[in-house]
Every structure is written in structure tokens, then in C-alpha cells.
Amino acid sequence: MSPVPPRRAARPAVVAFDVLDTLFPLAPLEWRFREAGIPRVLMARWADHLARDVFALALVGGGRSFEDVVRTALRDVTGHQIAPAAEDTIVDGLSELAPRREAAAALTAVREADLRAVLFGNAGPAATLELVERAGLEGLVEGVMGGGPGRAWKPSPEAYRAAARSLGVVPERLALVTAHGWDVAGAACAGLVTGWSAHLEGRFPAVFGAPDATGADLVETVRALPGLAVP
């Protein structure tokens, strides 16, 4: 049997950036956990718990908002001992995250290549838009998309296909730039072009098929996308 030739990804028409820990690092939330008297180790446990529940919702569906899942995960990892004010402080911190230092340059690189740039995370569009506006990036982003009630969650392939439909492009002309290996896997399953930035995980998870482009940071990843390579 002849081997299956590797997929040749097309130059994308739209580049969608993942949001949390891709464009906007979660690490600054740590001081809010400390301020609330919650042990530092519980922030990592909360992030893992949040990812687990989002992945389950991506599989089985459900009418919960991203904020609902965030709050439920906080209560679970603290044994339901977190004070309402402390919970609000951490949730509010998600809308006040600062972007990575090269975020604007990465979005600008997409615009300079005459492509459309959008944001595509699991948080609701309103919360993502608030992040973009606080960071002063709204002039570089055409729109924002997210999960929640009535929408599929990443990494369900349907979430990526729905994003392509809403943008008026076929999946093969939509690129996802992300720092998460699981996000690459979901996007590739849906037929998207995939770009992975190594700034979060360091090494791409070997359990998934390789992305179409990689880089040490967001700018390198954008420039490595098919048809965007620069000397």
C-alpha cells in the first residue's frame, strides 16, 4: 500500500488567534489567588479543572456559559470555601489580562499580509471583546468569536467549522494560531490550517499530528503559516 502523502495546507484567507494563554497569558491571575488567600498550587489545579470541564462540554454539549464553568471550577478546587468577593475578584481578573508583548506585532503581521485577523476562544464574545478593547487591539481585529450557550466549544471540530461558516470561508482557508496542542488537534480535525506557538508548552505534544506552522512566539508562527513565509 502506498503511503498517504502529507497534507499541503493552502494560504489562509483569515487567521484566527486563540485567546487565553495564547494572546493573553493567565499567569498574572496568580496574584489575585494570593490576595484571596488561595494557595498558589490551586491556580494550576483550577486551570486544569476548567480545561477538563470545557472539553467535556465540547463533547456532550450544554447550555453553560464560560463564566459559569470558571466559577464552578473555582468552587470545586477550593472545596466550596471560596468567598463570593474572592470569586468575583478572580473572575474579574480574566477581563483585565494584559496581552503578550508581541500580540500587536502578530496581529499587524496578518494585516500586512492582506489577511483578516479574528480572535477565537472558548470565552464568550463579549468577554473577549472587552479584553481586546482594554488592550487597545480593536483596530487590528476584525471580530471575536467564542463558545457558550448555543455555540460549540473548542476542541469540538464543529466549533471550528462554525467559525469558518460565520467568516464566510471554507475551513481550509481559515488558519488557527494557538499555544495549545489540543487546539491544533481540534482545528486540524476540522480541516483548518494550524499554527502553534511554543511560548506556553515548549514542545509540541507528540500525541497529536504536527501543526502546519510553528514558531517560538506568535510573530514567528504567523510568518511561518503557508504562503506567509518571509526571508
Side-chain angles (χ1 to χ4, degrees), residues 14-32:
V14 184
V15 179
F17 289 80
D18 176 56
V19 182
L20 297 181
D21 267 338
T22 296
L23 278 176
F24 293 87
L26 282 172
L29 278 183
E30 184 181 311
W31 76 266
R32 290 181 180 262

Side-chain angles (χ1 to χ4, degrees), residues 34-58:
R34 293 201 307 267
E35 189 177 61
I38 301 172
R40 175 181 176 181
V41 66
L42 288 186
M43 178 172 165
R45 193 174 301 171
W46 162 76
D48 290 343
H49 197 99
L50 175 63
R52 182 204 69 182
D53 290 352
V54 167
F55 292 171
L57 288 171

Side-chain angles (χ1 to χ4, degrees), residues 5 36 58 70 177 221:
V70 167
V177 171
T221 304

Side-chain angles (χ1 to χ4, degrees), residues 63-203:
R64 305 297 294 271
S65 70
F66 187 74
E67 183 176 327
D68 288 340
V69 186
V70 167
R71 289 183 180 275
T72 301
L74 282 171
R75 294 166 193 163
D76 287 347
V77 300
T78 59
H80 289 256
Q81 298 301 307
I82 186 170
E87 182 179 306
D88 289 343
T89 294
I90 293 169
V91 171
D92 291 345
L94 283 170
S95 66
E96 299 174 8
L97 296 172
R100 280 184 58 80
R101 63 187 183 280
E102 82 276 17
L107 293 167
T108 298
V110 172
R111 296 284 293 272
E112 289 176 344
D114 293 324
L115 304 181
R116 301 155 62 192
V118 299
L119 268 56
F120 179 31
N122 272 329
T128 301
L129 183 59
E130 185 174 354
L131 273 176
V132 172
E133 291 175 344
R134 286 181 64 92
L137 300 175
E138 65 271 21
L140 299 174
V141 175
E142 178 180 302
V144 298
M145 299 173 291
R151 304 182 185 92
W153 298 83
K154 295 191 300 177
S156 165
E158 176 53 28
Y160 306 94
R161 295 186 188 113
R165 287 195 298 270
S166 70
L167 292 165
V169 297
V170 295
E172 293 78 10
R173 298 296 307 282
L174 174 60
L176 176 77
V177 171
T178 181
H180 304 284
W182 58 262
D183 210 4
V184 168
C189 186
L192 273 64
V193 179
T194 55
W196 176 79
S197 174
H199 69 258
L200 179 67
E201 297 172 330
R203 184 184 298 273

